[in-house]
């Protein structure tokens, strides 16, 4: 094992140790671990799906989706059914979409589109960003319709401007 690999492994071990610190530290550690293949990352992040803070639950679920961790899907789906917080639900619907089989993708997109109307503004913005992130040929009509419906609703001008910018960036 090379010196840089040993150093990287030590950083990942430390990140796992800090998954129970203050919320911003935990979220940063999740981000770091989600970009690694470090042994124990998936199980350590999965433990955070029930964290007391909704931001952590959201980021943990999104990370598991991005890490292609299908072993976490049953827990994510179970937790999603009982989840009350809109922000946490955003991360969970994203993870469900990323990890489910294609027959369940439309329901996951519909659930994520519903979160565009979240009372929690952060959840609505994050839902928009996640929908843009998963936009592809198979779901574009469904997502565009959701965005159009949101644009026609009583959405803030700031939200609509962000939406326009995200869609424009997608096509560049």
């Amino acid at each position: 094992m090379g010196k840089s690999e040993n150093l990287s492994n030590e950083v990942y071990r430390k990140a796992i140790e800090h998954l129970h610190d203050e919320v911003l530290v935990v979220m940063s550690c999740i981000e770091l671990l989600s970009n690694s293949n470090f042994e124990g990352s998936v199980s350590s992040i999965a433990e955070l799906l029930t964290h007391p803070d909704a931001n952590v639950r959201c980021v943990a679920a999104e990370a598991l989706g991005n890490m292609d961790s299908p072993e976490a899907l049953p827990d994510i789906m179970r937790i999603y059914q009982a989840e009350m917080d809109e922000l946490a639900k955003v991360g969970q619907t994203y993870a469900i979409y990323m990890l489910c089989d294609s027959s369940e993708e439309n329901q996951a997109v519909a659930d994520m589109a519903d979160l565009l109307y979240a009372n929690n503004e952060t959840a609505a913005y994050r839902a928009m960003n996640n929908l843009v992130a998963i936009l592809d040929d198979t779901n574009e009509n469904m997502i565009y319709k959701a965005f159009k419906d949101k644009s026609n609703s009583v959405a803030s001008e700031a939200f609509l401007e962000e939406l326009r910018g995200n869609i424009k960036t997608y096509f560049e």
Side-chain angles (χ1 to χ4, degrees):
M1 209 179 316
K3 187 175 181 180
S4 66
E5 191 174 339
N6 281 333
L7 180 60
S8 294
N9 287 340
E10 183 60 26
V11 168
Y12 297 137
R13 274 192 287 283
K14 289 290 185 191
I16 288 174
E17 289 175 19
H18 290 283
L19 287 175
H20 301 288
D21 287 1
E22 62 186 61
V23 169
L24 289 176
V25 172
V26 173
M27 290 180 4
S28 296
C29 290
I30 292 169
E31 182 72 27
L32 176 70
L33 291 167
S34 71
N35 292 311
S36 76
N37 291 322
F38 187 69
E39 184 178 335
S41 293
V42 170
S43 61
S44 296
I45 293 172
E47 290 175 11
L48 299 172
L49 292 170
T50 57
H51 191 278
D53 188 274
N55 291 292
V56 171
R57 295 194 308 274
C58 176
V59 171
E62 288 172 344
L64 292 168
N66 287 332
M67 294 170 78
D68 192 24
S69 309
E71 65 274 19
L73 184 58
D75 286 337
I76 294 168
M77 292 183 82
R78 179 183 47 76
I79 291 165
Y80 173 77
Q81 296 304 317
E83 183 64 63
M84 299 303 292
D85 188 275
E86 293 169 323
L87 182 58
K89 278 186 165 292
V90 169
Q92 293 158 0
T93 56
Y94 176 81
I96 290 167
Y97 175 85
M98 297 299 286
L99 300 173
C100 71
D101 63 44
S102 59
S103 68
E104 298 170 328
E105 286 180 352
N106 283 346
Q107 184 60 53
V109 170
D111 291 345
M112 205 179 312
D114 287 345
L115 289 162
L116 290 171
Y117 299 93
N119 291 322
N120 177 326
E121 196 169 332
T122 301
Y125 274 87
R126 198 159 189 119
M128 172 185 44
N129 290 329
N130 284 350
L131 285 166
V132 170
I134 65 169
L135 185 63
D136 64 25
D137 293 343
T138 62
N139 63 25
E140 67 184 351
N141 290 337
M142 192 174 193
I143 292 175
Y144 289 149
K145 181 181 181 332
F147 286 159
K148 184 175 184 217
D149 291 347
K150 175 66 177 181
S151 297
N152 292 333
S153 73
V154 185
S156 72
E157 190 55 41
F159 184 92
L160 295 175
E161 188 62 35
E162 180 83 13
L163 176 58
R164 286 184 207 105
N166 280 341
I167 295 295
K168 182 180 175 188
T169 301
Y170 175 80
F171 287 107
E172 291 178 344

PDB file of all heavy atoms in Angstrom, residues 52-71:
ATOM      1  N   PRO A  52     -31.116  12.358  14.763  1.00  0.00           N
ATOM      2  CA  PRO A  52     -32.139  13.315  15.214  1.00  0.00           C
ATOM      3  C   PRO A  52     -32.295  14.539  14.307  1.00  0.00           C
ATOM      4  O   PRO A  52     -33.361  15.152  14.265  1.00  0.00           O
ATOM      5  CB  PRO A  52     -31.648  13.757  16.602  1.00  0.00           C
ATOM      6  CG  PRO A  52     -30.556  12.837  16.982  1.00  0.00           C
ATOM      7  CD  PRO A  52     -30.084  12.127  15.762  1.00  0.00           C
ATOM      8  N   ASP A  53     -31.260  14.899  13.549  1.00  0.00           N
ATOM      9  CA  ASP A  53     -31.316  16.091  12.701  1.00  0.00           C
ATOM     10  C   ASP A  53     -31.741  15.727  11.276  1.00  0.00           C
ATOM     11  O   ASP A  53     -31.141  14.856  10.643  1.00  0.00           O
ATOM     12  CB  ASP A  53     -29.943  16.773  12.679  1.00  0.00           C
ATOM     13  CG  ASP A  53     -29.996  18.108  11.976  1.00  0.00           C
ATOM     14  OD1 ASP A  53     -29.855  18.127  10.738  1.00  0.00           O
ATOM     15  OD2 ASP A  53     -30.204  19.131  12.663  1.00  0.00           O
ATOM     16  N   ALA A  54     -32.751  16.420  10.767  1.00  0.00           N
ATOM     17  CA  ALA A  54     -33.275  16.143   9.421  1.00  0.00           C
ATOM     18  C   ALA A  54     -32.249  16.413   8.327  1.00  0.00           C
ATOM     19  O   ALA A  54     -32.228  15.719   7.306  1.00  0.00           O
ATOM     20  CB  ALA A  54     -34.532  16.976   9.168  1.00  0.00           C
ATOM     21  N   ASN A  55     -31.386  17.406   8.519  1.00  0.00           N
ATOM     22  CA  ASN A  55     -30.342  17.679   7.525  1.00  0.00           C
ATOM     23  C   ASN A  55     -29.429  16.468   7.367  1.00  0.00           C
ATOM     24  O   ASN A  55     -29.083  16.089   6.245  1.00  0.00           O
ATOM     25  CB  ASN A  55     -29.502  18.896   7.951  1.00  0.00           C
ATOM     26  CG  ASN A  55     -30.265  20.179   7.882  1.00  0.00           C
ATOM     27  OD1 ASN A  55     -30.608  20.641   6.810  1.00  0.00           O
ATOM     28  ND2 ASN A  55     -30.537  20.756   9.043  1.00  0.00           N
ATOM     29  N   VAL A  56     -29.062  15.876   8.470  1.00  0.00           N
ATOM     30  CA  VAL A  56     -28.188  14.701   8.449  1.00  0.00           C
ATOM     31  C   VAL A  56     -28.916  13.529   7.793  1.00  0.00           C
ATOM     32  O   VAL A  56     -28.337  12.823   6.953  1.00  0.00           O
ATOM     33  CB  VAL A  56     -27.698  14.341   9.865  1.00  0.00           C
ATOM     34  CG1 VAL A  56     -26.965  13.003   9.862  1.00  0.00           C
ATOM     35  CG2 VAL A  56     -26.798  15.441  10.411  1.00  0.00           C
ATOM     36  N   ARG A  57     -30.176  13.314   8.157  1.00  0.00           N
ATOM     37  CA  ARG A  57     -30.938  12.214   7.543  1.00  0.00           C
ATOM     38  C   ARG A  57     -31.042  12.396   6.030  1.00  0.00           C
ATOM     39  O   ARG A  57     -30.900  11.435   5.273  1.00  0.00           O
ATOM     40  CB  ARG A  57     -32.339  12.119   8.167  1.00  0.00           C
ATOM     41  CG  ARG A  57     -32.308  11.734   9.626  1.00  0.00           C
ATOM     42  CD  ARG A  57     -33.653  11.310  10.184  1.00  0.00           C
ATOM     43  NE  ARG A  57     -34.764  12.210   9.984  1.00  0.00           N
ATOM     44  CZ  ARG A  57     -35.086  13.237  10.770  1.00  0.00           C
ATOM     45  NH1 ARG A  57     -34.349  13.512  11.838  1.00  0.00           N
ATOM     46  NH2 ARG A  57     -36.145  13.978  10.519  1.00  0.00           N
ATOM     47  N   CYS A  58     -31.258  13.627   5.588  1.00  0.00           N
ATOM     48  CA  CYS A  58     -31.347  13.925   4.156  1.00  0.00           C
ATOM     49  C   CYS A  58     -30.027  13.622   3.449  1.00  0.00           C
ATOM     50  O   CYS A  58     -29.993  12.895   2.456  1.00  0.00           O
ATOM     51  CB  CYS A  58     -31.728  15.396   3.962  1.00  0.00           C
ATOM     52  SG  CYS A  58     -31.762  15.946   2.238  1.00  0.00           S
ATOM     53  N   VAL A  59     -28.945  14.174   3.964  1.00  0.00           N
ATOM     54  CA  VAL A  59     -27.626  14.011   3.334  1.00  0.00           C
ATOM     55  C   VAL A  59     -27.183  12.544   3.374  1.00  0.00           C
ATOM     56  O   VAL A  59     -26.595  12.041   2.410  1.00  0.00           O
ATOM     57  CB  VAL A  59     -26.602  14.956   4.008  1.00  0.00           C
ATOM     58  CG1 VAL A  59     -25.180  14.667   3.547  1.00  0.00           C
ATOM     59  CG2 VAL A  59     -26.965  16.410   3.737  1.00  0.00           C
ATOM     60  N   ALA A  60     -27.470  11.858   4.462  1.00  0.00           N
ATOM     61  CA  ALA A  60     -27.097  10.441   4.563  1.00  0.00           C
ATOM     62  C   ALA A  60     -27.820   9.622   3.499  1.00  0.00           C
ATOM     63  O   ALA A  60     -27.201   8.782   2.827  1.00  0.00           O
ATOM     64  CB  ALA A  60     -27.405   9.902   5.958  1.00  0.00           C
ATOM     65  N   ALA A  61     -29.109   9.848   3.339  1.00  0.00           N
ATOM     66  CA  ALA A  61     -29.871   9.097   2.335  1.00  0.00           C
ATOM     67  C   ALA A  61     -29.357   9.408   0.930  1.00  0.00           C
ATOM     68  O   ALA A  61     -29.146   8.490   0.123  1.00  0.00           O
ATOM     69  CB  ALA A  61     -31.356   9.421   2.452  1.00  0.00           C
ATOM     70  N   GLU A  62     -29.148  10.690   0.638  1.00  0.00           N
ATOM     71  CA  GLU A  62     -28.627  11.054  -0.690  1.00  0.00           C
ATOM     72  C   GLU A  62     -27.273  10.395  -0.947  1.00  0.00           C
ATOM     73  O   GLU A  62     -27.013   9.893  -2.049  1.00  0.00           O
ATOM     74  CB  GLU A  62     -28.508  12.571  -0.813  1.00  0.00           C
ATOM     75  CG  GLU A  62     -29.836  13.267  -0.919  1.00  0.00           C
ATOM     76  CD  GLU A  62     -29.736  14.778  -0.843  1.00  0.00           C
ATOM     77  OE1 GLU A  62     -28.686  15.318  -0.418  1.00  0.00           O
ATOM     78  OE2 GLU A  62     -30.719  15.425  -1.211  1.00  0.00           O
ATOM     79  N   ALA A  63     -26.420  10.384   0.066  1.00  0.00           N
ATOM     80  CA  ALA A  63     -25.097   9.768  -0.087  1.00  0.00           C
ATOM     81  C   ALA A  63     -25.222   8.283  -0.403  1.00  0.00           C
ATOM     82  O   ALA A  63     -24.532   7.775  -1.296  1.00  0.00           O
ATOM     83  CB  ALA A  63     -24.270   9.973   1.181  1.00  0.00           C
ATOM     84  N   LEU A  64     -26.098   7.597   0.288  1.00  0.00           N
ATOM     85  CA  LEU A  64     -26.284   6.163   0.025  1.00  0.00           C
ATOM     86  C   LEU A  64     -26.799   5.938  -1.396  1.00  0.00           C
ATOM     87  O   LEU A  64     -26.396   4.979  -2.055  1.00  0.00           O
ATOM     88  CB  LEU A  64     -27.221   5.552   1.063  1.00  0.00           C
ATOM     89  CG  LEU A  64     -26.634   5.492   2.474  1.00  0.00           C
ATOM     90  CD1 LEU A  64     -27.720   5.159   3.487  1.00  0.00           C
ATOM     91  CD2 LEU A  64     -25.487   4.498   2.550  1.00  0.00           C
ATOM     92  N   GLY A  65     -27.662   6.813  -1.862  1.00  0.00           N
ATOM     93  CA  GLY A  65     -28.122   6.714  -3.247  1.00  0.00           C
ATOM     94  C   GLY A  65     -26.981   6.924  -4.222  1.00  0.00           C
ATOM     95  O   GLY A  65     -26.829   6.174  -5.194  1.00  0.00           O
ATOM     96  N   ASN A  66     -26.157   7.916  -3.961  1.00  0.00           N
ATOM     97  CA  ASN A  66     -25.022   8.197  -4.850  1.00  0.00           C
ATOM     98  C   ASN A  66     -23.942   7.128  -4.773  1.00  0.00           C
ATOM     99  O   ASN A  66     -23.192   6.940  -5.729  1.00  0.00           O
ATOM    100  CB  ASN A  66     -24.417   9.563  -4.518  1.00  0.00           C
ATOM    101  CG  ASN A  66     -25.300  10.699  -4.967  1.00  0.00           C
ATOM    102  OD1 ASN A  66     -26.061  10.578  -5.929  1.00  0.00           O
ATOM    103  ND2 ASN A  66     -25.214  11.818  -4.269  1.00  0.00           N
ATOM    104  N   MET A  67     -23.874   6.434  -3.649  1.00  0.00           N
ATOM    105  CA  MET A  67     -22.868   5.388  -3.472  1.00  0.00           C
ATOM    106  C   MET A  67     -23.317   4.058  -4.075  1.00  0.00           C
ATOM    107  O   MET A  67     -22.596   3.071  -3.983  1.00  0.00           O
ATOM    108  CB  MET A  67     -22.550   5.207  -1.985  1.00  0.00           C
ATOM    109  CG  MET A  67     -21.881   6.413  -1.361  1.00  0.00           C
ATOM    110  SD  MET A  67     -21.776   6.287   0.439  1.00  0.00           S
ATOM    111  CE  MET A  67     -20.378   5.170   0.608  1.00  0.00           C
ATOM    112  N   ASP A  68     -24.509   4.059  -4.664  1.00  0.00           N
ATOM    113  CA  ASP A  68     -25.062   2.836  -5.252  1.00  0.00           C
ATOM    114  C   ASP A  68     -25.022   1.699  -4.227  1.00  0.00           C
ATOM    115  O   ASP A  68     -24.365   0.686  -4.428  1.00  0.00           O
ATOM    116  CB  ASP A  68     -24.313   2.464  -6.531  1.00  0.00           C
ATOM    117  CG  ASP A  68     -25.046   1.385  -7.317  1.00  0.00           C
ATOM    118  OD1 ASP A  68     -26.273   1.254  -7.155  1.00  0.00           O
ATOM    119  OD2 ASP A  68     -24.381   0.662  -8.085  1.00  0.00           O
ATOM    120  N   SER A  69     -25.763   1.912  -3.147  1.00  0.00           N
ATOM    121  CA  SER A  69     -25.793   0.980  -2.019  1.00  0.00           C
ATOM    122  C   SER A  69     -27.158   0.319  -1.902  1.00  0.00           C
ATOM    123  O   SER A  69     -27.939   0.637  -1.001  1.00  0.00           O
ATOM    124  CB  SER A  69     -25.481   1.729  -0.724  1.00  0.00           C
ATOM    125  OG  SER A  69     -24.311   2.484  -0.855  1.00  0.00           O
ATOM    126  N   PRO A  70     -27.466  -0.628  -2.791  1.00  0.00           N
ATOM    127  CA  PRO A  70     -28.801  -1.226  -2.769  1.00  0.00           C
ATOM    128  C   PRO A  70     -29.134  -1.942  -1.464  1.00  0.00           C
ATOM    129  O   PRO A  70     -30.302  -2.088  -1.117  1.00  0.00           O
ATOM    130  CB  PRO A  70     -28.781  -2.200  -3.952  1.00  0.00           C
ATOM    131  CG  PRO A  70     -27.349  -2.436  -4.244  1.00  0.00           C
ATOM    132  CD  PRO A  70     -26.611  -1.208  -3.817  1.00  0.00           C
ATOM    133  N   GLU A  71     -28.115  -2.345  -0.709  1.00  0.00           N
ATOM    134  CA  GLU A  71     -28.365  -3.006   0.565  1.00  0.00           C
ATOM    135  C   GLU A  71     -29.042  -2.061   1.568  1.00  0.00           C
ATOM    136  O   GLU A  71     -29.676  -2.504   2.520  1.00  0.00           O
ATOM    137  CB  GLU A  71     -27.077  -3.586   1.157  1.00  0.00           C
ATOM    138  CG  GLU A  71     -26.034  -2.560   1.555  1.00  0.00           C
ATOM    139  CD  GLU A  71     -25.093  -2.099   0.441  1.00  0.00           C
ATOM    140  OE1 GLU A  71     -25.397  -2.273  -0.745  1.00  0.00           O
ATOM    141  OE2 GLU A  71     -24.038  -1.545   0.781  1.00  0.00           O
TER     142      GLU A  71
END
